[in-house]
């Protein structure tokens, strides 16, 4: 009986020590040091499409493909950041990677369309309480067929 009690106390004590090693995220992990401004994340899937720091990839809802210079992907992230912060982040960051803003659609959710030489990128943001779901869709620009000078018969 005494041996069982000592064993149980040792087990609880070791469990207590190990649980003390856990590191809980600080508020600064999710928000930048400057209030209202988001910083780029250090880990991103496509090197030329930034993701705000604190947004985590949802791999079960994402995919990407790259072959012969053609890239296609739908990447979903979840994180903290107001819609206005995320919109400001992409307005500032995307031009640094040669992306041109085409338009912004705001209807509760936010949708931003970007393009460059041969690709398009759609960034959508859906607020979910204190969090937001960010979806980045990347694909080739559609090829516009050249118009024939002869009428179609």
């Amino acid at each position: 009986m005494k041996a069982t009690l000592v064993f149980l106390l040792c087990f609880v004590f070791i469990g207590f020590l190990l649980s003390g090693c856990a590191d809980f995220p600080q508020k600064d992990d999710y928000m930048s040091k400057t209030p209202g401004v988001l910083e780029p994340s250090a880990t991103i899937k496509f090197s030329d499409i930034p993701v705000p720091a604190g947004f985590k990839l949802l791999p079960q809802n994402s995919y990407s493909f790259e072959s012969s210079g053609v890239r296609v992907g739908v990447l979903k992230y979840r994180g903290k950041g107001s819609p206005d912060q995320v919109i400001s982040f992409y307005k500032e960051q995307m031009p640094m990677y040669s992306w041109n803003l085409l338009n912004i659609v705001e209807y509760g959710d936010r949708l931003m369309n970007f393009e460059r030489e041969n690709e398009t990128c759609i960034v959508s943001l859906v607020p979910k309480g204190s969090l937001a779901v960010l979806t980045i869709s990347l694909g080739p620009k559609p090829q516009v067929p050249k118009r024939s000078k002869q009428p179609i018969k």
Side-chain angles (χ1 to χ4, degrees):
M1 171 94 174
K2 254 187 176 179
T4 305
L5 183 60
V6 170
F7 177 76
L8 183 61
L9 287 174
C10 287
F11 183 77
V12 170
F13 181 72
I14 290 172
F16 180 75
L17 285 176
L18 291 176
S19 69
C21 294
D23 185 16
F24 295 100
Q26 301 297 317
K27 184 177 181 183
D28 287 344
D29 291 345
Y30 295 110
M31 302 300 285
S32 69
K33 307 251 187 274
T34 308
V37 177
L38 297 175
E39 298 292 327
S41 173
T43 56
I44 53 179
K45 189 75 171 167
F46 292 121
S47 62
D48 57 350
I49 301 176
V51 175
F55 277 75
K56 304 294 181 206
L57 180 67
L58 303 173
Q60 69 278 11
N61 297 328
S62 302
Y63 73 89
S64 63
F65 173 80
E66 188 169 353
S67 177
S68 301
V70 175
R71 302 184 306 168
V72 177
V74 175
L75 306 174
K76 289 197 177 218
Y77 297 85
R78 183 178 310 148
K80 288 189 178 183
S82 75
D84 291 336
Q85 287 176 317
V86 176
I87 293 296
S88 294
F89 172 85
Y90 280 100
K91 279 182 178 178
E92 178 184 303
Q93 293 290 317
M94 290 295 271
M96 292 181 195
Y97 297 92
S98 301
W99 289 100
N100 300 311
L101 177 63
L102 295 177
N103 57 42
I104 300 174
V105 179
E106 299 182 60
Y107 55 94
D109 298 347
R110 305 295 200 282
L111 186 69
M112 301 179 77
N113 291 296
F114 295 92
E115 74 171 6
R116 62 183 187 185
E117 294 173 8
N118 57 354
E119 293 180 307
T120 63
C121 181
I122 301 169
V123 176
S124 72
L125 183 73
V126 178
K128 299 278 187 188
S130 65
L131 297 175
V133 175
L134 176 67
T135 304
I136 298 172
S137 303
L138 174 69
K141 265 188 184 177
Q143 298 297 320
V144 179
K146 293 183 180 181
R147 295 185 76 178
S148 174
K149 293 184 181 186
Q150 294 183 1
I152 298 175
K153 296 181 182 181

